[in-house]
């Protein structure tokens, strides 16, 4: 937790200094506000901070249309139809279930007792709809982690117990669909499943979706030092997944997420960014990105994490390449853990632009 507070504090400092950053070959320095020499992300056509979408990691027009329909009409049918047409074992289904669950959680947070009526109607009108059952389970998980009084509280545990039952019901409605079990991974982490219990749950997932990147990211948390594992166990899990990843799979990027989950509490020395551990993880993720399908739904997730590391490593051109692909969407790690995800992303984007221009880059030299 301390590292998050540190990053937030550093982000606020950089945000205050952002308008003064000057692009200059060989380094960065501060200039007066409004100076023509100040690096400006808008010159590259990037979205303004207030227009960044914090809900999803990358574009999904069909999901946006369904979410808008649900918001506008209060009906659940558009959400049900979208999930019914989304392949069960793919990455996209998990992302869409999480988005609908998140939308319902936000509505309930804003209107306690009166929000998310569409989801309540969905469960009452179509109790055997697998999509509705999965969204309801995801809603409970998000409520437990965000609105229950904190980990360890009575409310947190009660909601997670209810979520576990909901995951079980959702699994019965959709045999062969890994999403209910992936959702339960967060439940098991919060309730403190034993390693044997967690392994049994994990087996149900890899039986039907052995290369599911979203599932691996969810499971990685359990094995981290801050939860029920250790740095060594998390690294072993991530590297084993990367080693058995089929060509084109983004699982080769999983070790980078393991490094992120075990950051030192304060990253102030450049030796961290030049370390062999960081370099290997970044190179593995870059390889995964280069070999992945352009339409892989998890590709933006990896690019967002790469952006964070590449800025720290001062690899400006490669950082800008990630910005070019993900700009406009910030619903992904590492931004999603910040109090202001759009602000955290905008800070790193501004640093990438400034560093790129300080070393001779310009809008004309950035590929499109």
């Amino acid at each position: 937790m301390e590292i998050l507070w540190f990053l937030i504090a550093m982000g606020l400092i950089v945000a205050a200094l952002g308008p003064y950053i000057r692009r200059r070959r060989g380094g960065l320095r501060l200039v007066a506000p409004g100076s023509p020499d100040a690096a400006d992300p808008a010159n590259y056509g990037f979205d303004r901070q207030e227009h960044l979408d914090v809900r999803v990691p990358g574009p999904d027009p069909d999901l946006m249309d369904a979410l808008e329909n649900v918001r506008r009409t209060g009906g659940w049918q558009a959400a049900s139809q979208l999930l019914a047409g989304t392949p069960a074992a793919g990455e996209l289904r998990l992302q869409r279930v999480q988005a609908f669950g998140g939308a319902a959680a936000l509505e309930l947070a804003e209107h306690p007792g009166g929000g998310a009526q569409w989801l309540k109607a969905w469960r009452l009108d179509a109790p055997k709809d697998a999509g509705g059952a999965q969204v309801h389970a995801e809603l409970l998980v998000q409520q437990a982690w965000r609105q229950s009084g904190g980990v360890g509280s009575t409310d947190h545990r009660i909601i997670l117990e209810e979520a576990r039952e909901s995951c079980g019901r959702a699994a019965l409605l959709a045999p062969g669909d890994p999403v209910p079990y992936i959702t339960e991974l967060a439940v098991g982490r919060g309730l403190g499943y034993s390693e044997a219990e967690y392994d049994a749950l994990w087996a149900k997932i890899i039986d039907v979706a052995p290369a599911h990147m979203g599932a691996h990211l969810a499971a990685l948390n359990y094995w981290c030092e801050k939860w029920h594992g250790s740095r060594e166990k998390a690294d072993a899990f991530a590297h084993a997944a990367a080693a058995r990843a089929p060509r084109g799979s983004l699982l080769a990027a999983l070790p980078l997420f393991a490094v992120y989950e075990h950051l030192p509490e304060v990253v102030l020395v450049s030796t961290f960014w030049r370390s062999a551990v960081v370099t290997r993880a970044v190179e593995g993720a870059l390889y995964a990105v280069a070999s992945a399908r352009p339409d892989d739904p998890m590709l933006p997730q990896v690019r967002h994490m790469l952006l964070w590391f590449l800025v720290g490593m001062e690899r400006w051109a490669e950082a800008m390449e990630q910005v070019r692909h993900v700009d406009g969407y910030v619903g992904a790690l590492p931004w999603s853990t910040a109090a202001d995800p759009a602000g955290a992303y905008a800070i790193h984007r501004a640093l990438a632009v400034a560093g790129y221009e300080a070393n001779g880059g310009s809008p004309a030299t950035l590929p499109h």
Side-chain angles (χ1 to χ4, degrees):
M1 182 59 71
E2 290 81 359
I3 181 63
L4 295 180
W5 287 115
F6 171 75
L7 290 174
I8 292 169
M10 290 299 293
L12 293 174
I13 293 171
V14 176
L17 298 178
Y20 303 83
I21 296 175
R22 178 176 183 170
R23 54 182 187 258
R24 183 174 181 177
R25 183 176 296 276
L28 308 180
R29 68 185 184 87
L30 304 183
V31 297
S35 166
D37 287 330
D40 187 356
N43 293 337
Y44 295 81
F46 297 150
D47 285 358
R48 295 175 62 88
Q49 180 177 331
E50 59 267 29
H51 295 156
L52 296 171
D53 195 324
V54 301
R55 297 170 296 178
V56 289
D60 185 348
D62 291 338
L63 172 63
M64 295 300 105
D65 288 346
L67 284 170
E68 173 58 24
N69 183 282
V70 167
R71 185 200 64 78
R72 187 181 69 255
T73 68
W76 53 268
Q77 287 79 6
S80 176
Q81 290 170 6
L82 180 63
L83 290 181
T86 305
E91 305 282 356
L92 201 56
R93 185 175 181 85
L94 176 63
Q95 292 187 12
R96 288 173 171 176
V97 166
Q98 290 174 335
F100 286 125
L106 180 61
E107 287 185 31
L108 283 168
E110 294 176 345
H111 307 286
Q117 293 298 320
W118 56 272
L119 181 54
K120 296 175 184 177
W122 191 356
R123 298 301 295 127
L124 287 172
D125 298 344
K128 294 186 178 181
D129 187 320
Q134 291 174 5
V135 172
H136 181 245
E138 176 64 30
L139 162 66
L140 291 171
V141 167
Q142 294 204 26
Q143 283 186 309
W145 287 104
R146 298 182 181 184
Q147 303 160 18
S148 66
V151 177
S153 68
T154 301
D155 286 348
H156 180 75
R157 189 168 189 88
I158 289 174
I159 297 174
L160 284 180
E161 291 285 4
E162 184 180 354
R164 174 160 58 180
E165 294 177 4
S166 293
C167 288
R169 288 192 292 269
L172 291 175
L173 291 172
D177 188 338
V179 169
Y181 300 120
I182 298 173
T183 302
E184 191 181 347
L185 290 173
V187 175
R189 176 161 49 94
L191 293 179
Y193 282 14
S194 69
E195 290 190 9
E197 290 175 309
Y198 212 75
D199 282 338
L201 174 60
W202 181 242
K204 295 177 182 178
I205 296 169
I206 60 173
D207 278 349
V208 294
H212 200 292
M213 180 67 172
H216 281 79
L217 286 175
L220 177 64
N221 278 284
Y222 177 90
W223 299 109
C224 287
E225 189 174 67
K226 60 187 176 184
W227 287 105
H228 307 290
S230 64
R231 184 189 302 266
E232 291 74 23
K233 287 182 178 180
D235 285 345
F237 176 81
H239 282 90
R244 66 172 180 266
R247 180 168 177 78
S249 168
L250 286 167
L251 286 176
L254 198 61
L256 184 65
F257 289 82
V259 172
Y260 174 77
E261 294 294 345
H262 294 90
L263 287 171
E265 290 197 3
V266 178
V267 182
L268 291 178
V269 293
S270 60
T271 52
F272 168 79
W273 301 110
R274 294 196 300 268
S275 67
V277 169
V278 171
T279 300
R280 281 197 301 268
V282 166
E283 294 301 333
L286 287 170
Y287 168 80
V289 165
S291 60
R293 299 190 333 269
D295 63 344
D296 191 316
M298 291 301 294
L299 193 53
Q301 298 266 14
V302 179
R303 288 192 182 278
H304 280 291
M305 186 59 74
L306 270 170
L307 171 59
W308 193 88
F309 275 93
L310 290 168
V311 166
M313 299 169 80
E314 299 184 3
R315 293 168 62 167
W316 308 116
E318 291 164 298
M320 285 293 284
E321 179 68 7
Q322 311 315 313
V323 174
R324 183 172 73 85
H325 284 283
V326 303
D327 194 68
Y329 305 88
V330 296
L333 284 173
W335 329 118
S336 57
T337 61
D340 178 10
Y345 167 81
I347 288 165
H348 281 74
R349 182 180 64 183
L351 290 171
V353 170
Y356 182 64
E357 296 189 356
N359 288 274
S362 71
T365 61
L366 187 68
H368 292 85

